[in-house]
Every structure is written in structure tokens, then in C-alpha cells.
């Protein structure tokens, strides 16, 4: 590792005094220009004027260099940005010297041509010194650091940026030794000092010659087939593959612009569907300046939803969860700290009716986003009473407290498993939709539900689990080779929820058009292809309550798209809280009804 003082010398100054060398360039360039102009006839030269021009240029170089920030400490010597600033500065100095010469020069016998020749001579000298300095700096850095040789795939603008970063960062763990590219035009060229040596077919030879064990892909939005081919080829050779992120990816996934960040393949790419843009910013005015409560704020959806809502400037954002660690992560995400010492985070359980009543009565939220729920289908099949306590009674508690507090907008988060439910989870969320519809019909306010498909990347969901298993080289468990599911991303889910408050009507259920359902095995196959390694698949059979194919709407529901072509609206049947019957619930759970809408309607 390079000491801090040496690193600063190399990267920031590079030479002890760049201005001193620039001044020396003028001292040499002006007399040399005179000599060249008069073809070495010294008797024709006006040495007195030369003695005046040299100090004038030296002083102007300092003054104009300060104006253009040429000599500030933060400049990296020899960079393109510094060369551009240097060119501007030298041209300004040359102009400042030449203008008076143009006016009085002919009368005093001063050659205007000599001044004009001195400008490119000085610029070449200054740029040359910087190039030599930077080359020496990079050579010394490479000797002082222990960096792993890396081959870069791609020879476009991203590769140029990446090579520059790796060559000039003394902390970089990677050192570029070669570049491969599929475009024949790029072969036999150089990016900085790194040669382009061939295509993917040359990977074996290039890797052996340079003792490289890492291949770094520097192609934005790389084609999936090419990506799979790279992974398979590299895997066969025992070479690790990494992907350099675009700035947009780095900002989305890491919230920083650090160009050294490396990423894997985004799991959103696996569904091969563009994210639906719901234009939420245009209709989220109902949040601005309002008091907003998010239940389940420590979960995946609640956390991202809290972050998105904070951008619309609510007067107060209240984040509620019974998971203190989840709340801390959310506060860190939203506020940049996890101190947990403000009343914006509330530790409470929606099962506690009195706590919900007291909280909403005291904080008086205007808008409630109800995301708190138990969501793991097989777990709730084992413990259906927990689904009843949280997803049904807990939702009733929040709805009743919201009604008493005069909440104007209430958005309940549901799931596609609530359509023609066959599981405890689906049944409990169907009850929650119906309770929300009853409160919407009976009281003032816009109370509605939003129905999700499988949310990619949410905590405990299928795809992150598969990625972990593949990385650990453990078998993947799939229920059935033909099972399909609807998928949506976390940003899509949050945008839909926020937009629902602007376009949803009382007692409605809003559903995002997620395209065609996706076969789970298609995603598994893609993930295995991208991993470049053999992965065992174990088929376990459908679990209790699971469907082969999910439904977005129940048999009795009708769809409309009144506001947005990608957002479907239907209406939920109402269920009064007084009609909640634990016995009927147990009967439905034990009966595993395939279509419970009619029974729920009778219960309601």
C-alpha cells in the first residue's frame, strides 16, 4: 500500500512545481522562437524586447493559470482535463502578449511571427513534461502496489474510462493487461498503454500469457447471449468474470457514483421485461405537505416505499414496524442515519388494537400505506392462526384506527394470491381487501387495495434465494417444472402503490399489468447459464396451498383500465368487521376451497 504522503505527491502534484516548469518553458520558447524566425541570424534579433517578453509571459502564466485553476492542488497531472485547461491558459497568455506586439511591434522592430511561434513551442514543452511525469508516476505506482492482472472485454468508451481509472488509482486491486473485443475494427489498437489482442476465442492464450484470472466486462447493456457465451468460456478456463457498472446502475444499486464498484447481473434483467413507468411524480401531490404513515416500514416494500415517499416532501413521515432492526435499516436508507431516536420511527405491532388506536389518534396521519403483513405461504400453511391475527385482525385494527383518526387516503397492500385463493396467505389477504372495501363504502375517505405479483428482490423472495444457492454451489429447489408466476420489481411495486392514491377509487383493487406470466424454470435456466457452472435442480412438488399458475383477478371480478393502460382496476366485495368469524375462517382453511369468493360473499 502506498503511503498517504507519496500518494498525494503522485496523484495531485506529480512534479514538485508545475508552475516553475511552465515558466521555464516560456523562458526557453520565446528566445527559441526568435532564433527560428530569423533563421539563426542573431544580428537581426532584438534581445531587449525578448528580455521584456519573457518575464511578461512568465507573470501572465501565473495570473491566468490561477484564473483557470491550472495549478490547484486537486488536478491530476497529465489528465485530459488538465491538458485542456493548459491549452486554454497558454492560448490566453500568447494572446495577451501578441496583442500589444501587433500594435507597437512594427515600429519597434519586433517580430510578430516570433511571438506566434513561441505559443505552440511553449505548449508542446509544457504538455511533454506532463506526459513524461505521468508516465513515470504510473510506472512507479505499479511497482509500489500489488495489483491482480485483469483482462477487459470491450473496447468502447466504457473501457477507455475503466482503463484510465485502473491505471491511475494506486488503491486499485486490478491492473489491466489486455483487452478483448468482438469488433474487428478495434483489433491491434491500444487504449492508453493496454493492447487490444483479439476476441473471446483468444481468451485462453491471452490469459496464459499475462497470467490473468479475472475478466472484466466493460460493455453497457451487454447482449444476454454474448454474456452467457463469455461466462461459459471463462468458466471452462477457471477465469472469474465481473461486470463493470454503468454510472446509472451504480447510482441505483449503491447510491454512490464510485466507478470502482463491480456488480453482478441485475435480477430484474431475468424477467426480460421493461419496467413499467407509471408517471407517479405527476399525481403524487396528495402526499406533499401531508402526514404519512407507513406500516411494515422495516420490510422490503415498506422500506423502499418510505424512501420514495420522502422525495415528495410530506410534512411528516411516520415509519412503523415491530422489527426494530428493520426500522433501523429503513431510517438509514431514508435519512442517512439509523439513530432510532426520533418519533418518525415507531416500534409497534398492528395486532395491538389499543396501540394502533392511540398512535393514529395522537399523530393524526392524512395518508396511510398499509404494507405490514406475514407473506410466506408455506409458513402460514403451518400456522394459519398467525395469518388470521396479523393479516386479518391486524388490518382491521389499522383500518379502524384510521377511520377514527379521519384518515383521508388508505392504501392496503395485497397479493395476486388473493385472487381465487387456495392458500392461507391468499385467503387472509382476500379478507384484508374485503375489509378495506367495507370501510371505503361506509365512511368518508379513499380506501382501496393494490394487488402485487411476486416482487423481485424483496426479502426472502425466490430470486435472491436462488442467487445465494448458486453462489454457494448448492442445489436449487423448484416446486414443479411447469409452474409460472407474475413478477414485478420493487420500484414498480412502490410506484403503483403511490399512484394508487392518486387514481384509485373507493373500494377498488388496483393491479399492475405485468405482461405474461413467466415460467420459473425459464428463469432458473437463465440464472444457471449466467453463472457458467453446473447446478443441480431438485423438483419438490407443489406445496400445500400453492397454485400451478397464479390469477390476477377472481372469477367474479371484472377489469377496467380507466386511467393508465398498464394499471387495471377491479372492485372488492365488502366484509364488515362485525362479520369476521374465526370459525368460518377455520372452516375455509381446513376445506382448502379452490374458489372462496362466493363463500366470503355469503360471510360478508
Amino acid at each position: 500500500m502506498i503511503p498517504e504522503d507519496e500518494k498525494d505527491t503522485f496523484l495531485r502534484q506529480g512534479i514538485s512545481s508545475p508552475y516553475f516548469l511552465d515558466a521555464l518553458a516560456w523562458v526557453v520558447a520565446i528566445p527559441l522562437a526568435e532564433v527560428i524566425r530569423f533563421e539563426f541570424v542573431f544580428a537581426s534579433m532584438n534581445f531587449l524586447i525578448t528580455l521584456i517578453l519573457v518575464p511578461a509571459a512568465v507573470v501572465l502564466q501565473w495570473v491566468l493559470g490561477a484564473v483557470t485553476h491550472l495549478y490547484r492542488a486537486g488536478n491530476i497531472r497529465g489528465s485530459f482535463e488538465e491538458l485542456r485547461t493548459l491549452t486554454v491558459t497558454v492560448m490566453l497568455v500568447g494572446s495577451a502578449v501578441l496583442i500589444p506586439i501587433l500594435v507597437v511591434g512594427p515600429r519597434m522592430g519586433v517580430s510578430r511571427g516570433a511571438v506566434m511561434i513561441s505559443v505552440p513551442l511553449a505548449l508542446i514543452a509544457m504538455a511533454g513534461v506532463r506526459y513524461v511525469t505521468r508516465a513515470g508516476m504510473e510506472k512507479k505506482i505499479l511497482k509500489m502496489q500489488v495489483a491482480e492482472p485483469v483482462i477487459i472485454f470491450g473496447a468502447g468508451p466504457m473501457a477507455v474510462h475503466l482503463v484510465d481509472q485502473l491505471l491511475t488509482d494506486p488503491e486499485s486491486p486490478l491492473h489491466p493487461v489486455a483487452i478483448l473485443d468482438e469488433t474487428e475494427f478495434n483489433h491491434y489498437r491500444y487504449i492508453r498503454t493496454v493492447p487490444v489482442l483479439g476476441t473471446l476465442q483468444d481468451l485462453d492464450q491471452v490469459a496464459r500469457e499475462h497470467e490473468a484470472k479475472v475478466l472484466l466486462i466493460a460493455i453497457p447493456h451487454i447482449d444476454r447471449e454474448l454474456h452467457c457465451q463469455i461466462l461459459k468460456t471463462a468458466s471452462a478456463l477457471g477465469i472469474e468474470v465481473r461486470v463493470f457498472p454503468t454510472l446509472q446502475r451504480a447510482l441505483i444499486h449503491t447510491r454512490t457514483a464510485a466507478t470502482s464498484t463491480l456488480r453482478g447481473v441485475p435480477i430484474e434483467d431475468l424477467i426480460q421485461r421493461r419496467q413499467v413507468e407509471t408517471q407517479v411524480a405527476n399525481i403524487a401531490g396528495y402526499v406533499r405537505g401531508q402526514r404519512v404513515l407507513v406500516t411494515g416500514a422495516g420490510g422490503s416494500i415498506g422500506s423502499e416505499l418510505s424512501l420514495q415517499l420522502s422525495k415528495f416532501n410530506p410534512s411528516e413521515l411516520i415509519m412503523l414496524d415491530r422489527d426494530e432492526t428493520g426500522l433501523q435499516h429503513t431510517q438509514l436508507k431514508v435519512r442517512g442515519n439509523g439513530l432510532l431516536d426520533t418519533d418518525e420511527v415507531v416500534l409497534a405491532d398492528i395486532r395491538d388494537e389499543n396501540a394502533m388506536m392511540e398512535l393514529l389518534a395522537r399523530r393524526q396521519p392524512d395518508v396511510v400505506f398499509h404494507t405490514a403483513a406475514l407473506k410466506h405461504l408455506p409458513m402460514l400453511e403451518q400456522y394459519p392462526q398467525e395469518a388470521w391475527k396479523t393479516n386479518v385482525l391486524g388490518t382491521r385494527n389499522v383500518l379502524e384506527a384510521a377511520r377514527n383518526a379521519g384518515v383521508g387516503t388508505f392504501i392496503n397492500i395485497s397479493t395476486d394470491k388473493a385472487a381465487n385463493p387456495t392458500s392461507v396467505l391468499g385467503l387472509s389477504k382476500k379478507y384484508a381487501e374485503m375489509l378495506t372495501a367495507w370501510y371505503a363504502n361506509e365512511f368518508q375517505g379513499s380506501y382501496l387495495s393494490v394487488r402485487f405479483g411476486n416482487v423481485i428482490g424483496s426479502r426472502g423472495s425466490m430470486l435472491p434465494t436462488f442467487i445465494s444457492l448458486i453462489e454457494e454451489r448448492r442445489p436449487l429447489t423448484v416446486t414443479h417444472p411447469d409452474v409460472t408466476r407474475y413478477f414485478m420489481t420493487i420500484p414498480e411495486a412502490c410506484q403503483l402503490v403511490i399512484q394508487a392514491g392518486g387514481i384509485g377509487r373507493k373500494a377498488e383493487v388496483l393491479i399492475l399489468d405485468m405482461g405474461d406470466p413467466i415460467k420459473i424454470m425459464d428463469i432458473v435456466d437463465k440464472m444457471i447459464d449466467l453463472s457458467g457452472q453446473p447446478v443441480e435442480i431438485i423438483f419438490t412438488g407443489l406445496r400445500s396451498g400453492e397454485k400451478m399458475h397464479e390469477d390476477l383477478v377472481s372469477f367474479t371480478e371484472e377489469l377496467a383500465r380507466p386511467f393508465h393502460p398498464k394499471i387495471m382496476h377491479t372492485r372488492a366485495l365488502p366484509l364488515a368487521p362485525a362479520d369476521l368469524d374465526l370459525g368460518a375462517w377455520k372452516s375455509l382453511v381446513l376445506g382448502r376451497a379452490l374458489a372462496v369468493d362466493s363463500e366470503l360473499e355469503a360471510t360478508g
Side-chain angles (χ1 to χ4, degrees), residues 44-362:
S44 302
M45 297 172 57
N46 191 332
F47 290 102
L48 178 61
I49 296 299
T50 301
L51 292 175
I52 295 173
L53 292 179
V54 168
V58 168
V59 172
L60 285 169
Q61 182 70 26
W62 170 257
V63 173
L64 294 175
V67 171
T68 59
H69 305 292
L70 179 61
Y71 302 112
R72 63 183 176 184
N75 285 347
I76 297 179
R77 302 305 169 207
S79 65
F80 174 79
E81 289 75 15
E82 192 196 36
L83 180 60
R84 182 174 55 193
T85 305
L86 175 67
T87 303
V88 171
T89 305
V90 172
M91 295 299 294
L92 290 174
V93 172
S95 300
V97 173
L98 183 60
I99 289 173
I101 296 300
L102 291 174
V103 177
V104 301
R107 290 188 300 232
M108 300 179 63
V110 180
S111 171
R112 292 165 290 183
V115 176
M116 297 177 69
I117 293 172
S118 68
V119 173
L121 289 177
L123 180 58
I124 291 171
M126 296 176 193
V129 169
R130 281 167 168 79
Y131 174 80
V132 171
T133 300
R134 176 155 179 162
M137 174 188 72
E138 291 177 357
K139 185 176 181 180
K140 190 168 184 179
I141 284 176
L142 292 176
K143 288 181 179 179
M144 297 177 69
Q145 69 178 1
V146 179
E148 184 176 6
V150 61
I151 300 170
I152 295 174
F153 191 88
M158 180 179 283
V160 175
H161 173 66
L162 176 58
V163 169
D164 187 70
Q165 292 292 310
L166 295 180
L167 285 179
T168 57
D169 183 2
E171 298 288 347
S172 172
L174 301 175
H175 170 56
V177 293
I179 298 171
L180 300 177
D181 192 81
E182 290 300 291
T183 305
E184 295 290 338
F185 172 78
N186 287 320
H187 296 175
Y188 310 112
R189 61 176 284 223
Y190 280 78
I191 294 179
R192 295 288 301 277
T193 59
V194 184
V196 182
L197 297 180
T199 65
L200 185 61
Q201 284 67 39
D202 302 301
L203 177 60
D204 186 18
Q205 179 181 348
V206 173
R208 281 189 283 105
E209 289 179 356
H210 294 84
E211 299 181 349
K213 293 295 183 183
V214 177
L215 180 68
L216 185 51
I217 299 176
I219 301 177
H221 314 299
I222 185 171
D223 179 76
R224 177 180 169 269
E225 291 185 5
L226 177 58
H227 197 166
C228 291
Q229 185 181 0
I230 293 171
L231 289 169
K232 289 181 178 178
T233 303
S235 177
L237 299 173
I239 295 175
E240 180 185 357
V241 177
R242 304 180 192 174
V243 182
F244 187 70
T246 62
L247 179 59
Q248 182 181 13
R249 283 285 185 202
L251 289 171
I252 291 173
H253 290 284
T254 69
R255 308 295 178 190
T256 75
T259 55
S260 62
T261 304
L262 298 173
R263 65 168 176 88
V265 179
I267 54 180
E268 293 92 335
D269 293 351
L270 296 172
I271 64 176
Q272 292 190 328
R273 173 176 64 80
R274 289 186 177 183
Q275 181 168 302
V276 176
E277 296 295 335
T278 55
Q279 301 172 339
V280 63
N282 297 332
I283 55 172
Y286 70 95
V287 173
R288 188 169 291 108
Q290 302 296 303
R291 293 181 297 274
V292 178
L293 168 66
V294 179
T295 70
S300 303
I301 298 299
S303 176
E304 180 66 20
L305 181 60
S306 298
L307 175 64
Q308 296 302 322
L309 289 169
S310 68
K311 298 176 182 178
F312 295 106
N313 300 316
S315 62
E316 186 177 9
L317 178 60
I318 308 165
M319 297 174 284
L320 179 148
D321 206 290
R322 66 177 182 177
D323 179 358
E324 58 181 354
T325 302
L327 278 178
Q328 185 180 46
H329 289 165
T330 300
Q331 188 181 41
L332 185 64
K333 186 175 182 179
V334 174
R335 302 301 183 199
N337 71 78
L339 299 177
L340 299 176
D341 59 352
T342 65
D343 59 3
E344 72 175 355
V345 288
V346 177
L347 187 63
D349 194 333
I350 62 170
R351 293 182 177 191
D352 188 334
E353 182 178 6
N354 292 332
M356 292 299 101
M357 285 290 189
E358 187 277 331
L359 173 68
L360 272 72
R362 177 166 51 85

Side-chain angles (χ1 to χ4, degrees), residues 487-552:
F487 289 96
M488 63 195 307
T489 66
I490 291 179
E492 282 179 329
C494 293
Q495 288 178 22
L496 176 62
V497 171
I498 297 173
Q499 183 150 341
I503 65 174
R505 295 167 294 195
K506 298 177 64 168
E508 282 191 330
V509 178
L510 272 61
I511 310 156
L512 184 72
D513 185 344
M514 293 168 278
D516 296 329
I518 297 173
K519 199 171 180 179
I520 298 297
M521 276 306 301
D522 288 345
I523 294 180
V524 171
D525 289 340
K526 292 174 189 175
M527 295 180 74
I528 293 175
D529 284 345
L530 292 172
S531 73
Q533 61 188 34
V535 178
E536 181 184 0
I537 300 174
I538 299 175
F539 293 104
T540 61
L542 290 175
R543 295 168 293 185
S544 175
E546 282 191 322
K547 298 178 183 177
M548 182 74 74
H549 311 290
E550 294 288 2
D551 303 308
L552 291 179

